[in-house]
Amino acid sequence: MRRSEFSRRQLFRGGAAAALALPAAGLLTGCSFTQPGGGQPGSTLDQIKTRGSARIAIANEPPYTQIKPDGTVTGAEPDVVAAVLKRMGIPSIEGVVTPYESMIPGLNANRWDIIAAGLFMKQSRCGQILYSEPEIVSTESFAVPAGNPKNLTSVASVKADPAVKVAVLPGGFEDGALKTQNVPAAQIVNIPDGRSGIEAVLAGRADAFFLPTLSLNSLKADGIDITPAIQDVQQTGSGAGFRKTDQDLVNAYDEQLRALKASPEFDEILSRWGFSADAARGVTRDQLCAVAG
């Protein structure tokens, strides 16, 4: 959905991906950009094993993904991905921050090896890339002015009032959910990142900001309320994303993901970021890939 949280760096501009060139500081802190390895021999799995690192696309949207001021790559999805890769003998990750709408094109253009950004599964995305089994499951909410003056509690309530405007991240799950339910384009306000969505609501440019509940909780500001989970949006979640040609990598990844999900480490990672490990264990890739959109 998966979003600028940095005061010292502008990470992307005009929809183009920008890379972080920051020093590594351990398993989750390798966050530097490397040029695509299109000319390298062997499969992606062979290449990342040889390098000892994998390039991952992230969005810097806590709690799904986050870059700390020291350059540490963290968040629920990168932490799970790093733990799985470590079990595969790949000790580090290299983070590339990019807008959601650029993640799949960038993956297929070989700019990174894996999407690890909380990019929610749905039919259209599962038709373009391969996903691992689910790693996180989430709910969606609106950030609204205090008191929720327009009583926005569902996508249906947005459609019922043509004057209502909802801020979304272009290419995010929420953008797709509104369009799937035929919310008119005139009611959708595109914003570049999470903080801008909150600012749009506070400034009256949007009546609501549509984003995962946990992401909105991390952005909450004075004058903003977060609604309960939106019920007329299908439950969804995410796994790591891979190119269609990397089935061998997906197979190896899923094998170690199953082992991780059976261990206390998985619960520790997800609970640290506010997610339920049991919820992630309770759904399958096929179920989440059946989500419309």
Side-chain angles (χ1 to χ4, degrees):
M1 260 199 293
R2 72 281 358 236
R3 311 205 220 187
S4 292
E5 309 296 334
F6 288 132
S7 60
R8 293 183 300 169
R9 304 180 185 88
Q10 185 170 355
L11 297 178
F12 52 86
R13 185 189 301 272
L20 294 174
L22 301 170
L27 173 63
L28 295 177
T29 62
C31 185
S32 59
F33 181 70
T34 55
Q35 291 297 323
Q40 297 177 4
S43 67
T44 302
L45 178 57
D46 291 337
Q47 291 176 27
I48 63 177
K49 281 188 171 181
T50 298
R51 289 200 310 265
S53 67
R55 299 163 301 174
I56 65 170
I58 61 174
N60 197 34
E61 183 197 323
Y64 297 88
T65 59
Q66 185 178 13
I67 305 288
K68 294 182 178 179
D70 65 356
T72 302
V73 181
T74 188
E77 192 95 62
D79 284 6
V80 170
V81 169
V84 173
L85 292 176
K86 184 178 180 181
R87 288 169 177 260
M88 294 169 61
I90 301 159
S92 68
I93 53 177
E94 302 168 2
V96 185
V97 176
T98 185
Y100 283 95
E101 70 266 31
S102 300
M103 288 181 181
I104 291 177
L107 178 70
N108 288 329
N110 208 36
R111 296 192 185 101
W112 33 84
D113 306 304
I114 301 170
I115 297 172
L119 190 69
F120 293 159
M121 300 183 200
K122 58 181 181 177
Q123 291 174 9
S124 61
R125 289 174 178 163
C126 293
Q128 298 177 71
I129 62 173
L130 299 174
Y131 275 99
S132 71
E133 287 292 338
E135 296 175 340
I136 54 178
V137 172
S138 184
T139 60
E140 303 287 324
S141 292
F142 292 136
V144 294
N148 195 4
K150 297 205 172 179
N151 194 30
L152 300 176
T153 59
S154 64
V155 176
S157 65
V158 172
K159 292 176 66 177
D161 184 352
V164 166
K165 294 187 181 298
V166 179
V168 297
L169 292 157
F173 175 80
E174 302 75 24
D175 183 23
L178 295 181
K179 291 173 180 174
T180 297
Q181 296 197 42
N182 299 313
V183 173
Q187 290 186 252
I188 299 175
V189 178
N190 291 327
I191 47 88
D193 53 62
R195 183 55 54 192
S196 297
I198 297 296
E199 291 169 355
V201 174
L202 290 172
R205 296 192 301 273
D207 301 294
F209 179 28
F210 195 15
L211 207 63
T213 308
L214 289 173
S215 296
L216 291 175
N217 287 339
S218 74
L219 292 166
K220 194 173 186 302
D222 290 342
I224 291 289
D225 286 345
I226 310 301
T227 68
I230 302 301
Q231 297 301 309
D232 58 351
V233 175
Q234 290 178 278
Q235 183 188 48
T236 190
S238 70
F242 306 86
R243 285 183 284 275
K244 287 279 191 179
T245 54
D246 286 338
Q247 185 66 63
D248 61 334
L249 175 55
V250 178
N251 293 343
Y253 187 94
D254 272 343
E255 179 181 359
Q256 295 305 321
L257 176 60
R258 282 192 295 272
L260 178 67
K261 290 171 80 169
S263 74
E265 184 183 5
F266 186 68
D267 298 71
E268 292 166 5
I269 292 171
L270 290 197
S271 64
R272 184 161 66 239
W273 295 101
F275 292 96
S276 166
D278 286 338
R281 294 186 184 105
V283 293
T284 67
R285 171 173 47 217
D286 289 345
Q287 288 172 321
L288 294 184
C289 279
V291 172

